[in-house]
């Protein structure tokens, strides 16, 4: 398999982590509790670190530096799902997104450990260890907010409903997916992960009384939240992109 | 009514280099001063996160973004540690945060100024941290032992921040003409606040914190120490110190400089600095916006953040 064919997959993995890492770091300095401030900064660093690992793999293929890959693209050159580019919202939105994303990322990473592309399979093993803590963190907040006050319960439900239409976009196929599956780089198509994701998420939501006709696999409409993997993003991302490339864009050739 | 003999005995113990632990008897003046001093230090760590956090999103490389996020994480962690020390002396975290956002307590002058460019972040990371380390290193011998111990840990982490800041400055100074200009402009902007940072030259005998050895070096000496180490370094890397009177006086061994505008310092720390109200407003807004989270996890009776 030609390495170039791996690029859209690696970019999707890297960009998801990069953009979510940016969103998490928006809580740095202003989180509801000092302990959580420290925790979110730490998770943001993990995510940027994971993104860097995937960019380094791309860097080896395209012969460009990881920074120029990360920061030197137009918004339409990014392949993250729309779920991660939404603004951080309130604490309920951020925590619910973290939980749903980490559950999805967990099943994705598990699949990638079976990839025939060895550097990828080995790389994700390390990521899995860190992501496990993120999922525990998100899951504990689902419980805290569900059983906290009426307001926290109401906000959590509203967050989940708001997030729901974006979720299928996580499982949107990447460019050249059929070929990647054929070569075993992707052991399965992304759409096969959706039921496994729900097996992780459903018991947690049920345990905390968070269910209903609008929260479930049946509530997903076809291709809802799609576009991200093809580089079609919302205004939210364009705003974020303007910020994240502000200094880099002063002189992309310079060393910062 | 405090017993004068007991106070005298306490003072004698401090003067002889004795340390105070949280459960020890202490004069009210000592307790009040220790709380105020440590609380302001904690406030400064938390407020110091704000000017830098604006640049996390804008950091120009993955490495710088990671380093800056880690640095701010440390600072918030320091704020948390310092608040715990002050809490043990009798002021709850909630009260400290409420006083901070209401503008009733103070934080360091440097965090009342805006950050204009990436070079500001570099200069803060190098020189503001360097100036802070000079003070904090001296505080490792504070008479209040829990504070002294906390400072030992904080200084260890600050040393990494300083390296990162220095590296960011060196990178700019080895870069393009535009980058060098940015760096010099940032130094010019931060010079005044840097010279204010250790405070006015209050005579030692009129400094109550010094008398109780809550702090151990006078403001003048701290500033001299900072200048002695950093003026040569600043010049060596090709930056110009924006004070034509800055020079080392061979006769006295001390650094001579243009006397800073101490009125400006007073105005700034009272909350009338160029970015004071914006920063406090931002913290107040976020504190209110997230109150429901604290109510949910700590119970509505407690609003401690």
């Amino acid at each position: 398999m030609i390495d170039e064919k791996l690029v859209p997959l690696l970019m999707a993995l890297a960009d998801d982590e990069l953009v979510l890492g940016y969103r998490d770091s928006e809580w740095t300095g202003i989180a509801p509790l000092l302990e959580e401030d420290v925790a979110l900064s730490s998770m943001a660093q993990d995510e940027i670190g994971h993104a860097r690992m995937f960019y380094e793999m791309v860097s080896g293929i395209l012969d460009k530096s990881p920074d120029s890959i990360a920061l030197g693209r137009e918004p339409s050159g990014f392949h993250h799902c729309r779920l991660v580019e939404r603004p951080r919202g309130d604490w309920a939105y951020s925590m619910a997104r973290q939980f749903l994303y980490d559950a999805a990322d967990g099943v994705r990473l598990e699949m990638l450990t079976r990839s025939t592309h060895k550097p990828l399979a080995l790389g994700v093993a390390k990521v899995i260890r860190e992501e496990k803590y993120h999922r525990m963190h998100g899951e504990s907040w689902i419980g805290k907010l569900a059983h906290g006050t009426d307001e926290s319960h109401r906000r959590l439900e509203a967050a989940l409903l708001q997030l729901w239409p974006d979720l299928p976009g996580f499982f949107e196929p990447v460019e050249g997916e059929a070929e990647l599956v054929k070569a075993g780089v992707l052991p399965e198509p992304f759409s096969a992960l959706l039921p496994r994701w729900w097996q992780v998420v459903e018991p947690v939501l049920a345990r905390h009384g968070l269910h209903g006709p609008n929260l479930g696999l049946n509530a997903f409409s076809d291709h809802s939240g799609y576009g991200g993997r093809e580089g079609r993003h919302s205004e939210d991302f364009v705003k974020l992109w303007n910020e994240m490339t502000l200094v880099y864009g002063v002189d992309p050739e310079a060393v910062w | 009514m405090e017993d004068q003999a007991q106070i005298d005995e306490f003072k004698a113990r401090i003067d002889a280099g004795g340390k105070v632990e949280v459960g020890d008897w202490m004069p009210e003046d000592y307790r009040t001063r220790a709380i105020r001093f440590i609380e302001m230090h904690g406030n400064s760590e938390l407020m110091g996160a704000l000017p830098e956090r604006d640049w996390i999103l804008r950091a120009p490389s993955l490495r710088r973004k990671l380093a800056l996020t880690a640095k701010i994480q440390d600072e918030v962690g320091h704020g948390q540690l310092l608040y715990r020390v002050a809490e043990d002396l009798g002021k709850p975290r909630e009260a400290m945060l409420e006083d901070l956002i209401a503008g009733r307590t103070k934080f360091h002058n440097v965090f009342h100024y805006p950050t204009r460019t990436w070079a500001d972040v570099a200069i803060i990371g190098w020189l503001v941290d360097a100036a802070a380390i000079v003070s904090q290193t001296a505080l490792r011998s504070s008479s209040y032992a829990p504070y002294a111990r906390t400072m030992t840990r904080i200084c260890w982490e600050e040393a990494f921040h300083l390296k990162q800041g220095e590296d960011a400055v060196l990178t700019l100074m080895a870069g393009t003409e535009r980058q060098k200009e940015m760096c010099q402009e940032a130094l010019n902007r931060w010079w005044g606040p840097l010279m204010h940072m250790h405070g006015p030259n209050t005579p030692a005998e009129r400094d109550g914190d010094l008398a109780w050895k809550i702090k151990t070096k006078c403001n003048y000496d701290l500033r001299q120490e900072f200048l002695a180490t950093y003026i040569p370094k600043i010049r060596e890397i090709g930056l110009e110190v924006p004070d034509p009177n800055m020079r080392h006086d061979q006769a006295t061994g001390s650094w001579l400089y243009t006397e800073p505008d101490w009125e400006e310092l007073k105005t700034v720390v009272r909350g009338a600095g160029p970015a004071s109200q914006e920063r406090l407003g931002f913290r107040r807004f976020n504190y209110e916006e997230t109150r429901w989270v604290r109510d949910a996890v700590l119970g509505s009776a407690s609003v401690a953040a």
Side-chain angles (χ1 to χ4, degrees):
Chain A
M1 166 132 237
I2 309 162
D3 279 353
E4 274 88 27
K5 306 255 166 147
L6 282 162
V7 170
L9 169 66
L10 295 172
M11 287 290 210
L13 297 171
D15 291 346
D16 274 356
E17 293 284 301
L18 181 77
V19 175
L20 189 64
Y22 272 94
R23 289 305 186 196
D24 274 348
S25 68
E26 287 184 283
W27 283 106
T28 298
I30 55 166
L33 297 130
L34 296 180
E35 289 73 12
E36 287 301 316
D37 210 303
V38 173
L40 264 280
S41 294
S42 166
M43 283 164 48
Q45 288 167 70
D46 287 346
E47 275 141 14
I48 302 296
H50 301 161
R52 186 161 66 170
M53 183 190 83
F54 294 123
Y55 287 133
E56 275 163 3
M57 293 182 190
V58 177
S59 171
I61 299 169
L62 298 184
D63 196 27
K64 280 185 187 169
S65 74
D67 282 335
S68 71
I69 297 166
L71 300 171
R73 283 173 291 162
E74 292 300 308
S76 61
F78 281 78
H79 297 282
H80 58 272
C81 60
R82 290 199 172 184
L83 174 71
V84 295
E85 74 191 28
R86 304 295 184 200
R88 65 183 160 86
D90 67 3
W91 186 252
Y93 184 89
S94 277
M95 291 302 103
R97 171 165 62 186
Q98 193 73 47
F99 168 65
L100 297 173
Y101 172 86
D102 284 331
D105 196 34
V107 293
R108 176 169 68 182
L109 294 169
E110 185 281 321
M111 170 181 75
L112 292 171
T113 58
R114 292 182 274 120
S115 172
T116 54
H117 187 66
K118 285 295 157 213
L120 182 59
L122 292 172
V124 298
K126 176 180 171 283
V127 176
I128 285 176
R129 284 198 292 278
E130 290 181 356
E131 292 290 354
K132 199 177 124 201
Y133 290 100
H134 295 192
R135 190 159 81 241
M136 284 162 60
H137 179 262
E139 193 174 323
S140 94
W141 272 102
I142 296 288
K144 282 177 195 160
L145 296 178
H147 305 291
T149 58
D150 288 347
E151 183 178 4
S152 70
H153 190 92
R154 181 173 56 71
R155 282 180 183 262
L156 179 60
E157 272 187 338
L160 289 166
L161 287 172
Q162 199 187 335
L163 284 157
W164 221 252
D166 281 336
L167 281 157
F170 180 92
F171 305 95
E172 180 184 353
V174 297
E175 192 192 319
E177 183 174 299
E179 223 177 322
L180 290 168
V181 171
K182 211 171 145 198
V185 171
L186 269 181
E188 297 161 87
F190 280 117
S191 59
L193 299 178
L194 193 59
R196 284 218 285 289
W197 168 77
W198 182 239
Q199 277 171 16
V200 176
V201 169
E202 198 270 340
V204 177
L205 296 188
R207 187 159 71 242
H208 299 300
L210 299 158
H211 41 62
N214 299 320
L215 295 177
L217 288 185
N218 294 334
F220 288 143
S221 49
D222 275 354
H223 299 186
S224 166
Y226 271 39
R229 303 284 181 227
E230 292 178 355
R232 285 185 286 119
H233 298 288
S234 60
E235 259 316 290
D236 296 327
F237 180 61
V238 177
K239 277 187 207 149
L240 176 64
W241 181 86
N242 282 329
E243 281 279 306
M244 64 194 243
T245 55
L246 189 80
V247 180
Y248 178 84
V250 170
D251 187 347
E253 301 300 313
V255 178
W256 295 92
Chain B
M1 196 52 199
E2 290 184 325
D3 179 351
Q4 191 56 45
Q6 205 176 7
I7 297 175
D8 292 345
E9 193 194 327
F10 181 89
K11 181 80 170 67
R13 179 152 72 98
I14 298 282
D15 288 343
K19 301 290 177 191
V20 183
E21 291 293 344
V22 63
D24 294 354
W25 179 86
M26 61 187 89
E28 269 319 296
D29 185 53
Y30 183 91
R31 184 181 296 275
T32 311
R33 282 180 179 278
I35 290 176
R36 190 173 57 204
F37 196 91
I38 298 164
E39 179 182 8
M40 179 180 165
H41 190 170
N43 288 346
S44 302
E45 296 280 358
L46 296 185
M47 293 306 287
L50 298 187
E52 291 182 306
R53 95 176 264 293
D54 292 346
W55 294 87
I56 292 181
L57 288 183
R58 304 173 193 152
S61 72
L62 296 171
R63 181 168 74 103
R64 297 277 180 224
K65 181 178 161 67
L66 281 169
L68 190 57
T69 311
K71 180 187 176 189
I72 301 177
Q73 179 188 17
D74 285 348
E75 280 160 1
V76 175
H78 297 166
Q80 193 186 341
L81 287 174
L82 291 162
Y83 272 9
R84 206 171 290 156
V85 176
E87 268 189 300
D88 287 342
L89 282 165
K91 186 165 182 180
R93 190 201 273 197
E94 164 206 347
M96 288 187 273
L97 284 166
E98 297 277 355
D99 281 350
L100 172 63
I101 60 175
R104 287 189 292 266
T105 48
K106 289 178 179 166
F107 56 97
H108 264 301
N109 74 303
V110 281
F111 306 124
H112 292 260
Y113 291 85
T115 41
R116 305 268 183 225
T117 70
W118 173 253
D120 291 43
V121 180
I123 291 289
I124 292 174
W126 185 34
L127 294 176
V128 169
D129 279 49
I133 288 175
V134 168
S135 304
Q136 291 173 348
T137 304
L139 290 167
R140 289 185 304 185
S141 46
S142 169
S143 64
Y144 189 55
Y147 186 42
R149 285 192 291 268
T150 303
M151 290 322 300
T152 303
R153 170 167 167 191
I154 289 181
C155 284
W156 190 77
E157 292 185 351
E158 291 287 347
F160 288 100
H161 302 176
L162 180 65
K163 278 209 180 73
Q164 285 164 14
E166 187 178 22
D167 183 68
V169 170
L170 288 173
T171 304
L172 290 173
M173 292 307 288
T176 64
E177 282 310 308
R178 178 74 201 100
Q179 285 176 307
K180 286 181 206 167
E181 275 166 32
M182 277 171 79
C183 202
Q184 182 65 54
E185 286 161 10
L187 180 65
N188 297 350
R189 272 195 290 280
W190 287 90
W191 192 252
L194 274 167
M195 289 299 287
H196 285 145
M197 224 180 134
H198 294 107
N201 303 330
T202 312
E205 61 279 9
R206 280 180 36 216
D207 193 330
D209 296 334
L210 203 55
W212 288 122
K213 293 194 180 174
I214 294 167
K215 68 179 197 188
T216 54
K217 281 186 185 166
C218 70
N219 298 346
Y220 179 83
D221 289 350
L222 291 169
R223 188 163 26 253
Q224 284 294 328
E225 209 177 300
F226 169 69
L227 296 173
T229 313
Y230 288 94
I231 293 294
K233 288 188 191 228
I234 291 168
R235 288 179 172 158
E236 191 188 311
I237 66 169
L239 283 164
E240 198 179 320
V241 175
D243 177 356
N245 297 319
M246 180 68 65
R247 66 183 175 86
H248 189 245
D249 182 33
Q250 300 292 348
T252 60
S254 54
W255 286 82
L256 303 177
Y257 48 79
T258 307
E259 197 59 24
D261 176 0
W262 298 115
E263 281 309 306
E264 180 185 330
L265 177 65
K266 274 189 213 162
T267 309
V268 162
V269 294
R270 256 202 322 266
S276 315
Q277 290 309 313
E278 184 196 325
R279 297 255 161 80
L280 282 172
F282 184 69
R283 184 160 289 291
R284 193 155 47 232
F285 174 78
N286 284 292
Y287 190 73
E288 294 306 331
E289 283 285 297
T290 55
R291 192 180 288 276
W292 68 270
V293 183
R294 293 186 292 279
D295 288 348
V297 293
L298 305 169
S300 50
S302 168
V303 289

